């Protein structure tokens, strides 16, 4: 609708400019016959003021209705997901108990209701290919609808300056085919399953990891940092900052401040042997 209104206005304006240019070229002779100036005044008042006001006002009222429909939606949500902004990562909680971070997995072709809030300061949830921006505000829940018509991966970014590592507060929305989603969803809610030996879990439970992270099914249940129950299934570390590889995981554990200065995670001191066991453990959490 807005496109066609703009197209008509554009065509009329270009037509008038062409008309004026033709006249100007014809009338360069000094003995121009002046038209009635009152007609010119009236033309400016109507075409230059009244018509634009009516067109803009009409478009504005029409847009308000459309924005409302986009914001509230008229269908039942297939799924409600809580997305909580933290300095500087995203906590993602599902109704079946699944908890993840920085990767929001949804079924393609379904209307998903996001409940946006924040834990510390203002953040803003923005996935340009799926929806407009909306703020995550501490103490308040904002609702946003998203839908991906096809399976795909869409990058998102915090869009409200929230401190030192605002730029490294990315996330992804991953839309899966419905069957793939069901498999992911059930697995994500389940407790951690590991193929690594107990040594890695012992290191995890006896180090500083325990103070901030949860691995469901173990005694680690802190919520200050991302839930690591299915860490190995995620594609990035530190909110889109690094690819989730063994080498990068090692950097994050040993020296997080060099990657994301100011981040709440302290460096962890481990012997080589402990580090390898811990990496084996974390890499098995899929
Ligand atoms: Cu969170 Cu910027």
């Amino acid at each position: 609708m807005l496109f066609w209104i703009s197209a008509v206005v554009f065509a009329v304006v270009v037509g008038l400019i062409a008309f004026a240019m033709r006249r100007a070229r014809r009338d360069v002779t000094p003995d121009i016959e002046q038209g009635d100036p009152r007609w010119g005044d009236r033309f400016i008042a109507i075409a230059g003021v009244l018509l634009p006001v009516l067109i803009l006002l009409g478009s504005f009222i029409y847009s308000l209705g459309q924005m409302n429909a986009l914001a509230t939606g008229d269908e039942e949500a297939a799924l409600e997901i809580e997305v909580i902004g933290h300095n500087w990562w995203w906590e993602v909680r599902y109704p079946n108990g699944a908890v993840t971070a920085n990767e929001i997995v949804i079924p393609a072709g379904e209307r998903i209701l996001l409940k946006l809030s924040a834990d510390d300061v203002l953040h803003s949830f923005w996935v340009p290919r799926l929806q407009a921006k909306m703020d995550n505000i501490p103490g308040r829940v904002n609702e946003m609808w998203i839908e991906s018509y096809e399976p795909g991966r869409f990058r998102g970014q915090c869009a409200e300056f929230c401190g030192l590592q605002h730029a490294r507060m990315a996330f992804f929305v991953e839309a899966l085919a419905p069957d793939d989603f069901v498999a992911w969803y059930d697995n994500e809610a389940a407790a951690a399953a590991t193929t690594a030996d107990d040594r890695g879990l012992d290191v995890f439970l006896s180090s500083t990891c325990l103070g901030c992270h949860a691995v469901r099914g173990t005694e680690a249940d802190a919520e200050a940092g991302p839930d690591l129950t299915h860490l190995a299934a995620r594609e990035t570390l530190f909110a889109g900052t690094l690819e989730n590889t063994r080498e990068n995981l090692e950097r994050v554990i040993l020296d997080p401040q060099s990657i994301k200065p100011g981040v709440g995670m302290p460096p962890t001191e481990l012997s080589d042997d402990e580090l390898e066991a811990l990496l084996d453990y974390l890499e098995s959490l899929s």
Side-chain angles (χ1 to χ4, degrees):
M1 177 68 84
L2 294 174
F3 172 80
W4 289 115
I5 292 173
S6 310
V8 169
V9 170
F10 180 75
V12 169
V13 169
V14 168
L16 286 174
I17 291 173
F19 174 71
M21 284 168 75
R22 269 186 70 116
R23 260 178 70 126
R25 202 174 301 146
R26 214 178 49 207
D27 296 347
V28 275
T29 45
D31 57 332
I32 302 171
E33 210 177 287
Q34 294 293 327
D36 180 355
R38 278 174 305 173
W39 189 84
D41 289 350
R42 218 171 297 145
F43 180 77
I44 289 171
I46 294 171
V49 180
L50 190 67
L51 268 180
V53 165
L54 288 179
I55 291 172
L56 289 176
L57 205 64
S59 311
F60 175 64
I61 291 167
Y62 174 76
S63 312
L64 281 184
Q66 296 300 305
M67 282 163 72
N68 213 23
L70 265 180
T72 54
D74 45 13
E75 294 165 49
E76 284 286 293
L79 188 63
E80 287 186 13
I81 306 174
E82 278 179 74
V83 180
I84 305 152
H86 297 264
N87 274 344
W88 292 278
W89 59 285
W90 303 88
E91 179 181 353
V92 186
R93 308 189 83 94
Y94 291 79
N96 72 344
V99 185
T100 182
N102 308 317
E103 293 187 17
I104 303 165
V105 180
I106 60 169
E110 304 267 18
R111 298 264 283 175
I112 310 297
L113 184 64
L114 299 181
K115 299 197 160 234
L116 306 175
S117 63
D119 181 49
D120 34 40
V121 297
L122 275 182
H123 302 274
S124 181
F125 184 90
W126 189 32
V127 197
R129 286 178 64 195
L130 295 181
Q131 255 291 14
K133 291 174 196 172
M134 188 173 275
D135 279 358
N136 292 59
I137 302 170
R140 186 192 150 88
V141 177
N142 280 340
E143 295 190 343
M144 172 193 270
W145 289 90
I146 55 168
E147 177 172 356
S148 170
Y149 302 128
E150 306 274 338
R153 190 169 165 87
F154 309 96
R155 193 178 188 279
Q157 173 67 40
C158 179
E160 178 76 47
F161 181 71
C162 54
L164 210 51
Q165 293 300 334
H166 157 68
R168 294 193 186 94
M169 192 169 165
F171 60 96
F172 294 88
V173 173
E174 177 103 41
L176 299 178
D179 289 349
D180 295 342
F181 177 77
V182 170
W184 176 89
Y185 194 42
D186 292 344
N187 179 61
E188 198 67 23
T194 176
T195 48
D197 55 37
D198 293 344
R199 174 104 170 97
L201 177 61
D202 289 343
V203 174
F204 185 84
L205 295 177
S206 59
S207 71
T208 46
C209 312
L210 189 65
C212 299
H213 296 284
V215 175
R216 279 170 279 131
T218 74
E219 59 190 85
D221 60 358
E223 290 182 353
D227 182 297
L228 302 181
T229 309
H230 300 285
L231 174 68
R234 302 211 279 264
E235 289 195 23
T236 68
L237 300 171
F238 264 3
T241 305
L242 295 172
E243 228 180 296
N244 187 1
T245 63
R246 189 179 179 95
E247 197 188 9
N248 286 335
L249 198 54
E250 181 181 324
R251 288 175 64 196
V252 164
I253 294 167
L254 296 181
D255 194 7
Q257 299 297 328
S258 74
I259 304 162
K260 230 171 145 170
V263 72
M265 183 166 172
T268 306
E269 285 194 19
L270 297 167
S271 69
D272 287 352
D273 180 47
E274 288 170 328
L275 178 67
E276 294 307 315
L278 181 60
L279 289 172
D280 285 343
Y281 175 66
L282 291 175
E283 285 209 302
S284 74
L285 297 173
S286 61

